[in-house]
């Protein structure tokens, strides 16, 4: 389900029953963990908790920082006081978790919160030139992004644009599955040499 094909009442009922089931079973989920940690860090005894965290951890390395959410960043800001303690590594162009609250503006504006040096690693070692160049076409149209030019480490690769005529997510997935199956079974392509880039 998505919010487009269910009513607000249906969504509220699902969330209410989900939360009731968690409480009955004494369980929490990832969102609960974040909320509880944040609540501890802003509560009455927060100084003791922050002091404890700073005794246990002296340096903080945040990888995939483009997928940090606002609540996660507030947790980081409560614990990390000095930018010398922080390595914040990521790529605003690779944010894929906005649906769960990731906010790529955090990585774009990190210099406004901490005095840290910025380094741009512009060589892509993962993908060959055809893939890097095709991906760059769409990314450069993003309205808010850090200006950078990616360079492939190696030339080559093969990109197939699959026209799915605006089908449903199921149709797109089925089409991609069949295409990959043909590549592997009929053309002998190694599955580890296949990547799928899709927007839905």
């Amino acid at each position: 389900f998505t919010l487009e094909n269910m009513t607000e009442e249906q969504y509220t009922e699902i969330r209410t029953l989900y939360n009731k089931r968690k409480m009955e079973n004494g369980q929490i989920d990832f969102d609960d963990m974040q909320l509880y940690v944040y609540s501890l860090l802003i509560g009455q005894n927060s100084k003791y908790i922050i002091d404890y965290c700073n005794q246990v951890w002296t340096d903080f390395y945040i990888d995939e920082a483009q997928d940090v959410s606002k609540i996660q960043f507030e947790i980081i800001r409560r614990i990390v006081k000095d930018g010398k303690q922080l390595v914040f590594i990521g790529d605003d162009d690779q944010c894929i978790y906005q649906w769960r609250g990731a906010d790529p503006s955090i990585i774009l504006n990190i210099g406004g919160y901490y005095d840290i040096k910025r380094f741009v690693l512009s060589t892509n070692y993962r993908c060959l030139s055809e893939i890097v160049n095709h991906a760059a076409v769409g990314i450069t149209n993003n309205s808010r992004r850090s200006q950078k030019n990616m360079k492939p480490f190696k030339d080559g690769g093969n990109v197939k644009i699959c026209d799915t005529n605006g089908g449903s997510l199921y149709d797109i997935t089925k089409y991609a599955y069949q295409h990959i199956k043909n590549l592997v079974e009929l053309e002998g392509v190694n599955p580890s040499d296949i990547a799928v880039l899709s927007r839905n």
Side-chain angles (χ1 to χ4, degrees), residues 74-90:
E74 284 304 314
I75 291 168
I76 293 166
R77 288 190 58 210
R78 303 274 176 208
I79 299 172
V80 181
K81 299 299 180 196
D82 186 351
K84 293 184 183 92
Q85 299 173 271
L86 180 64
V87 175
F88 209 69
I89 185 167

Side-chain angles (χ1 to χ4, degrees), residues 25-160:
N25 293 308
Q27 298 171 328
I28 63 174
D29 63 16
F30 188 68
D31 289 338
D32 296 329
M33 285 189 268
Q34 295 176 106
L35 184 59
Y36 293 151
V37 169
Y38 177 73
S39 297
L40 283 172
L41 294 175
I42 63 166
Q44 231 173 0
N45 298 318
S46 62
K47 182 183 178 339
Y48 301 110
I49 295 165
I50 292 168
D51 288 346
Y52 172 79
C53 291
N54 283 293
Q55 287 172 8
V56 175
W57 302 296
T58 57
D59 298 289
F60 299 86
Y61 181 90
I62 311 298
D63 195 12
E64 302 294 349
Q66 72 276 0
D67 293 324
V68 169
S69 69
K70 287 183 173 130
I71 192 168
Q72 291 166 345
F73 189 56
E74 284 304 314
I75 291 168
I76 293 166
R77 288 190 58 210
R78 303 274 176 208
I79 299 172
V80 181
K81 299 299 180 196
D82 186 351
K84 293 184 183 92
Q85 299 173 271
L86 180 64
V87 175
F88 209 69
I89 185 167
D91 181 355
D92 56 298
D93 287 331
Q94 294 187 39
C95 180
I96 59 172
Y97 290 113
Q98 283 183 293
W99 57 270
R100 72 163 195 211
D103 185 355
S105 71
I106 293 170
I107 194 170
L108 291 171
N109 300 317
I110 189 70
Y113 298 97
Y114 294 101
D115 183 21
I116 56 178
K117 292 180 184 176
R118 182 173 185 259
F119 300 93
V120 176
L121 307 175
S122 59
T123 302
N124 185 317
Y125 293 94
R126 181 182 296 164
C127 300
L128 299 176
S129 61
E130 280 297 305
I131 296 166
V132 171
N133 296 338
H134 268 82
V137 171
I139 289 171
T140 56
N141 292 318
N142 289 352
S143 58
R144 293 197 59 214
R145 65 183 294 268
S146 174
Q147 292 302 315
K148 55 195 171 298
N149 292 315
M150 294 304 298
K151 296 176 287 214
F153 182 67
K154 287 185 178 178
D155 286 332
N158 184 19
V159 174
K160 160 86 170 141

